[in-house]
Amino acid sequence: MDLTGSVRLGAAKPIASTGGVAVGRLSRWQKVLLVFLGWTFIGLLMAVPHAVAKFDWPNVINKLIEYWAWALLTPLFLYVDRVLSRYDGRPVLRVAIFLLLSGPFSFVHVYLTAFLLYADPQIWWNPLRTPEFVTYYFLGGWLMSFAIIGMLEALRYHRSFMQGQIELERVERRLLESHLNTLRMQLEPHFLFNALNTISSEVISNPELARDMIEDLGALLRLSLDYKDNQEISLAQEIILLEHYLAIQRVRFGDRIQTGMDIPPELMEAMVPCMLLQPIVENSIRHGLGKRAQGGCVNISAMREGGILQIVVVDDGVGLSNGCNLENAKGLGIRATRERLAGLYPGTRHSFWIGSRDVGGVAVVMRVPLRFSGAGDDGTAAA
């Protein structure tokens, strides 16, 4: 099970291209060398029958020069391909124009090859020496033109396919970000309404406490606004958010609510979803501890298991009602947390479990990939 991957929500890098065929980020001389080596390889391949049984070097030289002539014509093919890119939405027209031009290209290749071969009088089948071989060279060159056009079209469609995949990935990222932001927007008003109700109950009877709660609520909302563009924050920042929420609840419940934390310092910079703990702890207090006259305790702990960060929230409240389990837990906090984890860490890269404890109360166990702020994809902290 792979739990070490990272969340990538950044923009994908575009494919570099010359306007026609994607050739990567090569220098001009690297491209020239690549074209020369490619055609030399094809020439040697075609010369193999003349070199294996009996080394017929005029034919070997003939094949190499014939394909080096194609290397000289390659920039012309690429230029035409780039010019015809204006007809990307009309592939039939583009291919038809290319095929019409293949005839003149083949004639140019015939006489360019003949000129280069003219220095060797042993190649008597040179079209400049024996004109009847013009047709032979032309037909061979015409077939090679079709092959070149086919290769350029294949590369064009491959590039279009890759660009389509990149655009699809961008759309999926935007949809995912929109969905995650929607889930966060659902959580924050939910928390805000509950906090305001709590403050409202204290305004008349204890205005000083109400004022303290308003200050904590303001601090929490300010931090939440600071992190509005962050799907993930450090565990230390998440704890600060949670502390402001707990301060409001302590004012309301007094000594009835106790909290504990067991988080190793080295895990404080681990990245977690923003507002991950607040809805879980709120559920523990509202539905677990708040229903007990004597209150209780909620404890948050974190531990490292290889490339996994495990966060556990336990309380000693009244526990889950009979028949309640993860699948039918429909509370907004639980549902939104599950969906956010599934969106941020798709597949098996996360887990969420909620259940009753044998000693009473509820336990929530969340496991996410362990990554640190400023870490690379391997999850290690930046130096």
Side-chain angles (χ1 to χ4, degrees), residues 39-68:
W39 283 112
T40 300
F41 174 76
I42 297 174
L44 290 173
L45 198 63
M46 301 302 290
V48 166
H50 304 287
V52 174
K54 180 183 177 182
F55 190 77
D56 182 7
W57 70 266
N59 262 310
V60 173
I61 294 298
N62 175 74
K63 290 299 178 185
L64 283 174
I65 290 178
E66 183 179 345
Y67 287 97
W68 284 339

Side-chain angles (χ1 to χ4, degrees), residues 235-244 261 263 268 277:
L235 188 53
Q237 292 170 319
E238 179 68 15
I239 293 299
I240 293 174
L241 279 171
L242 182 64
E243 285 289 356
H244 285 295
M261 292 194 188
I263 300 176
M268 281 298 186
L277 293 174

Side-chain angles (χ1 to χ4, degrees), residues 1 58 137 258 287 295 324 373:
M1 182 171 62
Y137 273 85
Q258 297 177 351
H287 305 297
C324 180
S373 175

Side-chain angles (χ1 to χ4, degrees), residues 138-167:
F138 175 78
L139 292 177
W142 207 13
L143 292 176
M144 181 54 68
S145 296
F146 292 167
I148 295 172
I149 294 170
M151 183 184 67
L152 291 175
E153 290 301 311
L155 290 173
R156 179 178 296 280
Y157 278 110
H158 174 71
R159 187 192 61 170
S160 298
F161 174 77
M162 294 304 297
Q163 287 179 336
Q165 291 294 106
I166 291 171
E167 186 59 31

Side-chain angles (χ1 to χ4, degrees), residues 77-288:
F77 275 92
L78 294 177
Y79 172 77
V80 172
D81 179 69
R82 186 164 61 249
V83 171
L84 294 181
S85 63
R86 70 184 65 176
Y87 301 118
D88 276 354
R90 304 165 68 184
V92 175
L93 177 61
R94 188 182 61 245
V95 172
I97 295 174
F98 230 146
L99 290 177
L100 286 175
L101 292 174
S102 64
F105 283 167
S106 299
F107 268 116
V108 171
H109 176 260
V110 169
Y111 287 102
L112 179 60
T113 303
F115 177 77
L116 295 174
L117 291 173
Y118 200 74
D120 186 357
Q122 296 189 67
I123 304 179
W124 52 269
W125 56 89
N126 186 324
L128 291 180
R129 299 180 190 279
T130 313
E132 57 263 34
F133 278 91
V134 169
T135 303
Y136 171 79
Y137 273 85
F138 175 78
L139 292 177
W142 207 13
L143 292 176
M144 181 54 68
S145 296
F146 292 167
I148 295 172
I149 294 170
M151 183 184 67
L152 291 175
E153 290 301 311
L155 290 173
R156 179 178 296 280
Y157 278 110
H158 174 71
R159 187 192 61 170
S160 298
F161 174 77
M162 294 304 297
Q163 287 179 336
Q165 291 294 106
I166 291 171
E167 186 59 31
L168 178 61
E169 187 179 344
R170 286 176 180 162
V171 171
E172 289 177 344
R173 282 198 187 99
R174 286 196 288 267
L175 287 174
L176 175 60
E177 289 175 351
S178 176
H179 181 60
L180 292 173
N181 286 333
T182 299
L183 292 172
R184 268 190 54 179
M185 293 298 291
Q186 288 176 338
L187 284 177
E188 289 169 0
H190 173 76
F191 158 76
L192 181 60
F193 294 146
N194 291 336
L196 288 175
N197 286 335
T198 303
I199 294 171
S200 174
S201 65
E202 300 292 339
V203 167
I204 302 292
S205 60
N206 199 333
E208 291 188 3
L209 285 179
R211 186 181 59 191
D212 292 341
M213 294 167 72
I214 291 173
E215 289 178 356
D216 281 308
L217 177 61
L220 194 151
L221 293 177
R222 187 167 53 251
L223 287 174
S224 177
L225 188 63
D226 290 341
Y227 302 147
K228 66 180 176 63
D229 294 326
N230 299 72
Q231 291 295 345
E232 291 181 305
I233 58 176
S234 71
L235 188 53
Q237 292 170 319
E238 179 68 15
I239 293 299
I240 293 174
L241 279 171
L242 182 64
E243 285 289 356
H244 285 295
Y245 167 75
L246 289 174
I248 296 171
Q249 297 303 324
R250 288 191 190 104
V251 170
R252 178 187 178 190
F253 291 97
D255 294 337
R256 291 175 56 204
I257 301 297
Q258 297 177 351
T259 59
M261 292 194 188
D262 182 15
I263 300 176
E266 63 270 18
L267 293 181
M268 281 298 186
E269 292 305 314
M271 301 301 290
V272 297
C274 185
M275 298 285 285
L276 173 71
L277 293 174
Q278 183 271 326
I280 304 301
V281 173
E282 181 177 0
N283 269 334
S284 293
I285 293 176
R286 291 188 64 200
H287 305 297

